[in-house]
Amino acid sequence: MSAWREALQTMRMKSVAAVWTSMLLLAGLGVLWLQIPDSHVWQLAFSILFGSGLLALFFWFCTWLFGQMLHPGKRERWWVKWLLLAVVICVWWLLQIPIDRLIEHEALYAGYWTSRLPHGLRGLHTYEHLMMLQDWTYFSLRLIVTGLLLPVAVVVGAGGLGAGVRGVVHLWLRWWYWVAALICGWLAFAISGKLIDWTPGHGLASEMLSLLMRLGFAFTLDVLLGCFVLALIAVGLRRVAVAAN
């Protein structure tokens, strides 16, 4: 059985609904957290306490989800899983910094390349085309970094570190994992961007309703694509565990 088909069969509506609800709840709580004023000491203290609780809820959900995916026999303590997961997130953030630096100068790069192209090619490779090419290139770099670290996050978050390194390397060397991760990321990037930029209807009420529907569809699509990639990771890690036994 192909890994993609097995991943689709592994996905359960209950798990997808749990991810959808949890992500929506975390996003809503994050918006509320940003609305807390900090003009007084007690407000600042409440903001710190609320943010800490939100962060703890995020780590708890991640470790619960990854544990449900892998069902490791021997699990690490919760604080060990949280600490290792925080390290993975910090590494991911550090690897995003050089990509962010490139994005900050993409307009400068596009202008330079446009000026250096032969005159006959400037109609084919315009400034807008070069900007779009850079957007896709930098987003693909983000996907590669995420694809490298997401299996590591799943392993350390689940607490099953026994055959974790072998399983992660196994996934890194499988073409079907990278094709699925890149395609899912590109689809989420393209479709979500088009939906957000599309503004049908006229009037405040119709535009607000359209925005809510477009955001809901884009959010649901991103969750489904993300769950498929997570299911694919679980399939790859389980295959290594079965082969090791």
Side-chain angles (χ1 to χ4, degrees):
M1 182 185 298
S2 68
W4 293 353
R5 182 180 302 176
E6 188 175 350
L8 287 173
Q9 294 179 354
T10 302
M11 292 176 62
R12 296 289 183 269
M13 287 302 301
K14 182 179 179 181
S15 300
V16 175
V19 174
W20 191 93
T21 305
S22 300
M23 290 296 99
L24 185 62
L25 176 62
L26 288 171
L29 291 175
V31 172
L32 290 177
W33 177 55
L34 294 176
Q35 306 305 314
I36 299 176
D38 55 0
S39 56
H40 300 284
V41 175
W42 71 269
Q43 293 175 338
L44 179 62
F46 178 71
S47 177
I48 295 175
L49 182 63
F50 192 94
S52 301
L54 183 61
L55 190 62
L57 183 62
F58 170 75
F59 279 106
W60 174 84
F61 172 71
C62 287
T63 53
W64 172 83
L65 177 64
F66 299 156
Q68 293 294 314
M69 289 169 51
L70 298 185
H71 299 288
K74 182 181 178 181
R75 302 190 179 187
E76 301 292 335
R77 295 180 181 271
W78 67 268
W79 61 268
V80 175
K81 295 187 290 185
W82 287 22
L83 179 62
L84 293 175
L85 189 58
V87 171
V88 175
I89 294 174
C90 288
V91 172
W92 178 87
W93 174 74
L94 290 173
L95 292 176
Q96 301 301 311
I97 294 178
I99 302 176
D100 292 335
R101 295 293 180 268
L102 292 172
I103 294 175
E104 290 175 0
H105 298 90
E106 64 177 356
L108 179 64
Y109 297 149
Y112 173 77
W113 293 334
T114 302
S115 66
R116 302 296 295 178
L117 286 173
H119 182 74
L121 296 178
R122 292 183 184 179
L124 299 176
H125 300 282
T126 63
Y127 177 86
E128 290 75 15
H129 291 159
L130 292 173
M131 288 289 292
M132 184 181 300
L133 177 62
Q134 288 185 93
D135 288 339
W136 281 95
T137 301
Y138 299 148
F139 183 74
S140 298
L141 290 176
R142 293 190 191 276
L143 287 179
I144 293 173
V145 171
T146 304
L148 287 171
L149 293 179
L150 187 56
V152 181
V154 171
V155 170
V156 301
L161 303 179
V165 175
R166 184 184 302 176
V168 169
V169 174
H170 170 82
L171 274 172
W172 286 349
L173 298 178
R174 294 299 176 268
W175 66 267
W176 43 262
Y177 168 66
W178 287 109
V179 170
L182 290 174
I183 289 178
C184 288
W186 289 336
L187 285 174
F189 181 68
I191 297 176
S192 299
K194 292 293 184 182
L195 286 173
I196 300 303
D197 294 337
W198 181 42
T199 55
H202 300 282
L204 180 60
S206 60
E207 289 183 3
M208 287 298 298
L209 179 61
S210 171
L211 178 61
L212 291 175
M213 293 178 63
R214 286 181 282 123
L215 285 176
F217 182 83
F219 178 74
T220 303
L221 176 65
D222 293 347
V223 168
L224 288 173
L225 293 173
C227 287
F228 174 72
V229 174
L230 289 175
L232 202 60
I233 292 174
V235 167
L237 294 176
R238 282 200 297 265
R239 286 184 175 183
V240 173
V242 171
N245 296 329

